[in-house]
Amino acid sequence: MVNKEKVKEAITMLLEAIGEDPTREGLLETPDRISRMYEEIFGGMDMDAHEILSKRFSVADSEMVVERDITFYSMCEHHLLPFYGKAHVAYVPNDEVVGLSKLARTVEVYAKRPQLQERMTNQIADAIMQELNPKGVMVMIEAEHMCMTMRGVKKPGSSTVTVATRGNFADNEKLQSTFYGRVRNFRL
Ligand code: ZN
């Protein structure tokens, strides 16, 4: 749970530390506003992906399921600046699947916390692997990092791509290229 009073104190101190006057009109409500905002953007810390993925149902076939273009917003834990983009999640069921919205919610659980893109990619893949026990999982995340674009090397438009493969995706290039094909080319 976000300690809103502590966030408010911290933001007031932060404003003072950069030489601002936290009592001027425009900044007066800022600590409170940020404390409420943090409840939302760090809300994933109170959520459990395993619980979200616990409601499963049986299927007879085992075709690859791909949920792509899942928009997410996260906060880079090194700079507390946003990184955001699309996650693509695929798995080959063993005999159980989950509702498609649960894959998007799993992405959200791991996005809404101080995060690293690489770790988030792995956490999503591992949660699905553990809960659904599928034949394999593949997760790809494409994101733009504000800490790359508004500071430091300043490369707007550059994106970071991370991939995690588990189970039969790990050593099966054909499955991987099917995944890439569905994510990249197949547009409704
Ligand atoms: Zn960063």
Side-chain angles (χ1 to χ4, degrees):
M1 282 291 280
V2 169
N3 182 331
K4 289 208 282 186
E5 283 311 309
K6 207 159 184 175
V7 172
K8 278 158 76 171
E9 281 173 42
I11 297 300
T12 303
M13 281 177 72
L14 183 72
L15 288 168
E16 284 168 2
I18 63 167
E20 261 292 359
D21 171 13
T23 64
R24 73 174 172 85
E25 202 195 341
L27 293 176
L28 217 49
E29 301 293 322
T30 300
D32 185 55
R33 231 178 259 123
I34 292 182
S35 72
R36 281 181 278 123
M37 180 181 74
Y38 273 11
E39 271 195 319
E40 183 181 340
I41 66 181
F42 294 129
M45 295 176 68
D46 300 322
M47 295 193 271
D48 183 359
H50 297 275
E51 199 182 307
I52 289 166
L53 294 169
S54 65
K55 205 175 169 206
R56 299 180 286 267
F57 44 96
S58 298
V59 285
D61 60 357
S62 55
E63 290 294 314
M64 185 192 303
V65 178
V66 185
E67 185 70 8
R68 63 161 197 203
D69 294 336
I70 301 168
T71 302
F72 75 89
Y73 297 87
S74 188
M75 292 284 266
C76 148
E77 70 180 21
H78 291 157
H79 302 93
L80 286 189
L81 283 174
F83 70 96
Y84 50 91
K86 306 265 190 204
H88 316 287
V89 178
Y91 66 101
V92 179
N94 235 336
D95 48 18
E96 287 186 316
V97 294
V98 284
L100 294 176
S101 68
K102 308 293 188 210
L103 298 176
R105 291 214 39 218
T106 300
V107 170
E108 191 173 89
V109 166
Y110 291 115
K112 289 189 165 185
R113 57 181 72 189
Q115 191 55 287
L116 295 174
Q117 184 178 332
E118 297 88 337
R119 185 173 60 216
M120 179 177 154
T121 313
N122 286 320
Q123 285 173 329
I124 295 164
D126 289 335
I128 295 168
M129 204 63 195
Q130 286 163 18
E131 282 303 313
L132 272 72
N133 191 31
K135 294 189 173 112
V137 177
M138 186 158 175
V139 177
M140 178 165 79
I141 295 181
E142 308 169 86
E144 186 168 321
H145 292 246
M146 292 295 280
C147 60
M148 288 275 290
T149 56
M150 72 178 280
R151 61 162 288 284
V153 289
K154 292 199 180 71
K155 292 287 179 229
S158 69
S159 59
T160 305
V161 180
T162 48
V163 173
T165 54
R166 300 288 184 272
N168 62 355
F169 278 95
D171 51 9
N172 189 329
E173 278 182 31
K174 198 163 166 260
L175 262 186
Q176 290 184 18
S177 60
T178 304
F179 170 86
Y180 288 123
R182 294 206 182 150
V183 166
R184 293 272 176 230
N185 304 323
F186 184 71
R187 290 284 183 260
L188 291 169

